[in-house]
Amino acid sequence: MKKKREDFLPINAEDMKARGWDQLDILLITGDAYVDHPSFGVAIIGRLLEIHGYKVGIIAQPDWRDIKDFKAFGDKPPRLFVGITSGNLDSMVNNYTAARRRRKRDVYSPGGVGGKRPDRAVIVYANRVREVFGKVPIVIGGLEASLRRFAHYDYWQDRVRRSILLDSRADLIVYGMGERQVVEIAQSLESGIPIEYLTYLDGTVAKTKSLDGLKDFVELPSYEEVSTDKEKYALSFKLQYQEQDPFKGRPVVQKHGDWYIVQNRPAKPLATHELDRLYELPYTREYHPIYEKEGGIPALKEVKFSIVTHRGCYGSCAFCALVQHQGRIIQSRSKESILKEVRLLTKLPDFKGVIHDVGGPTANMYKTGCSRDGEGYCGKRNCLFPSPCPNLKKSHQEYIDLLRSIRQIPGVKHVFIRSGIRYDLLMADNESDFLKELCEHHVSGQLKIAPEHVSPKVLKAMRKPSFEVYAKFREEYKKVNKMLGKKQYLVPYFISSHPGCGLDEMIQLAEHIRDLKYNPEQVQDFTPTPMTLATCMYYTGIDPLTGEKIYVPKDMGEKRMQRALLQFRDPKNYDLVKKALKKAGRDDLIGSGKKALIPDRRPGAHRRKGQRRKKKC
């Protein structure tokens, strides 16, 4: 049974008046369709503000080409502030491929149809709000705002852009997950503190003309310096990267002309009971009824029967922005809260007995983390690179106990893990037999894993474990499945064109794929997204944490060759693969030998143009 409109937060003036309201306290605008599910950030923020007593309305995917949609609740601005997000993804990542081609699909839009959100959605929406409501306080957040808080390299324009705080003309950025901050902002504004004085809140970025009164801060090279000097850009990244600690972090300042952008230290991680409360809010777990005729929202299908167990990731992969957004510290929900949610899912009318995922950014990090919790980061090394830290709590036993309890709930037939596992963490755990438990109960025929590459040089740039660790895990996985009498396979994910990867390294990876007799259906070409370590390497040609020069494949021709090498068996890639092999001097891999990647001739090239293969009778 579908939920009714009154079960959701208001989406227009009619819904608002039906509740007896004449004005909103807070207006939230999102680039995603409105899905009232805890996997959608605006739903969490909206429900949280609601239980704190605020009148909240949501405008989802407004038409930015007109101001009409921005007046969905009338001409009167919200009493406290407007909160803006591009949605669950950066709008540029959502709208474009790594080859800078516009995507046709958008799983966060009705029917999966693209084109419902503008490029740089946060900036566009915020400037429209200024046009409609004038000086109303504007707070921007979500992934797009969070990762563009400093001067940053923009891949799509191939230049350094200013902090999004200035281009959007907003008053504050909430960076990270944001629940603590938005409530504190609402309460501060409610108490009469003007928005321009809220420059001190943890987990926020403010702008100011003066640094008077600010002590013990780190100043980055200015926007003007980092936009013209790549060494200064690398230094700037290193300085801010080292200050993302919620316990010991200091304010970080970057000058932009007459303005100073001030990042306060990250907000403290949520305690278990606080995280439990968030996921137990009264979500309908449905998309809004207005999308029914358009076929619903595809993104909901992937998460509706999945469980989020924790936040954060201490993997710190160079190409991933999680450490800059959710942080390294694992914040886990209680077992009781998770089981309560599973029981709720089993009562939904369309539940078929399958829990699709039980995890987080990395599933098997649940209840793991640093034994020095509460003291902040070590500051000396990453938790898993180049090998697991001695201070790391690596036991999977609590995760195993959780999964066993979920399997025992009436109505649950299968429990799968889709959010990925860190095999290096698994291999480092000598206290529990998680691999056997995983293979016996939680793999649906294939286990997706992310070794990413085979070259030691590239893996070092990625901050990933050595390939020997993956090879050992692969053998253990085979051994356990054989013991269980199961035929289950590994599906490894690989990345092309990552900083540090040239044609030689990509050919080395292609040879590995050949030896595995593996034919990747999905491959990933590295996309430089704001505020990642790898993006800094891509733009500057420098590893900012070591100061070493690093090779970067930027030429689109080479990037196409590298991607083609991942799928060298596909006839469509023949010319690109052959070109790559000849350019690298690897003619030995062309021909009919056992080690060859491709034959001398393109498949089918012996037939004359227009000639068809005869059909067998």
Side-chain angles (χ1 to χ4, degrees), residues 510-580:
E511 290 184 278
H512 173 74
I513 292 171
R514 173 203 63 202
D515 296 342
L516 282 180
K517 296 180 174 58
Y518 173 55
N519 191 23
E521 293 182 7
Q522 291 182 323
V523 297
Q524 183 179 352
D525 195 33
F526 169 67
T527 303
T529 53
M531 217 170 177
T532 68
L533 173 58
T535 297
C536 181
M537 294 178 188
Y538 177 89
Y539 173 60
T540 64
I542 301 168
D543 183 331
L545 304 186
T546 65
E548 298 172 353
K549 298 286 186 182
I550 190 166
Y551 173 76
V552 178
K554 288 190 176 182
D555 177 73
M556 292 305 291
E558 181 182 348
K559 286 171 71 69
R560 284 193 288 271
M561 285 189 281
Q562 287 208 24
R563 184 183 174 90
L565 281 163
L566 281 177
Q567 295 175 310
F568 63 85
R569 292 188 179 92
D570 188 334
K572 292 184 296 186
N573 291 332
Y574 180 85
D575 290 340
L576 282 171
V577 174
K578 189 171 186 178
K579 185 178 179 181

Side-chain angles (χ1 to χ4, degrees), residues 8 53 81 91 116 136 141 162 206 232 289 363 443 455 465 473 478 498:
F8 295 79
F81 70 89
S91 61
K116 299 282 188 178
V136 65
R162 301 191 303 172
K232 289 286 181 66
V443 178
S455 163
F473 168 76
K478 288 180 182 177
H498 191 278

Side-chain angles (χ1 to χ4, degrees), residues 323-470:
V323 71
Q324 299 279 50
H325 186 64
Q326 289 194 16
R328 288 192 200 178
I329 297 173
I330 302 300
Q331 303 154 67
S332 297
R333 293 171 63 188
S334 70
K335 179 180 176 181
E336 293 73 22
S337 174
I338 294 169
L339 296 180
K340 181 179 179 181
E341 184 174 356
V342 174
R343 293 187 189 101
L344 185 154
L345 294 183
T346 64
K347 292 178 173 59
L348 296 180
D350 49 347
F351 181 68
K352 306 297 183 185
V354 180
I355 301 294
H356 296 145
D357 188 31
V358 179
T362 302
N364 60 324
M365 287 186 182
Y366 177 70
K367 292 284 187 176
T368 66
C370 185
S371 59
R372 301 165 69 249
D373 277 348
E375 299 178 34
Y377 303 160
C378 298
K380 297 177 182 177
R381 53 164 291 158
N382 288 334
C383 303
L384 287 174
F385 177 81
S387 59
C389 176
N391 290 324
L392 196 60
K393 295 184 291 186
K394 301 178 281 290
S395 175
H396 291 67
Q397 193 57 53
E398 289 197 68
Y399 190 38
I400 291 173
D401 292 343
L402 172 66
L403 293 169
R404 287 173 177 170
S405 296
I406 294 174
R407 297 200 304 266
Q408 293 169 5
I409 291 177
V412 174
K413 299 174 184 176
H414 301 288
V415 181
F416 296 125
I417 297 173
R418 285 186 178 178
S419 50
I421 62 168
R422 283 293 297 229
Y423 55 84
D424 49 346
L425 178 62
L426 185 154
M427 297 300 288
D429 175 18
N430 298 316
E431 301 176 32
S432 55
D433 197 3
F434 176 63
L435 184 56
K436 180 178 179 296
E437 193 85 7
L438 175 72
C439 295
E440 189 170 5
H441 299 288
H442 305 291
V443 178
S444 57
Q446 294 181 335
L447 177 65
K448 295 176 181 178
I449 210 80
E452 309 295 7
H453 217 283
V454 298
S455 163
K457 185 170 73 171
V458 181
L459 290 170
K460 179 182 177 184
M462 290 178 167
R463 285 1 186 218
K464 294 286 287 186
S466 71
F467 190 72
E468 287 73 22
V469 178
Y470 170 69

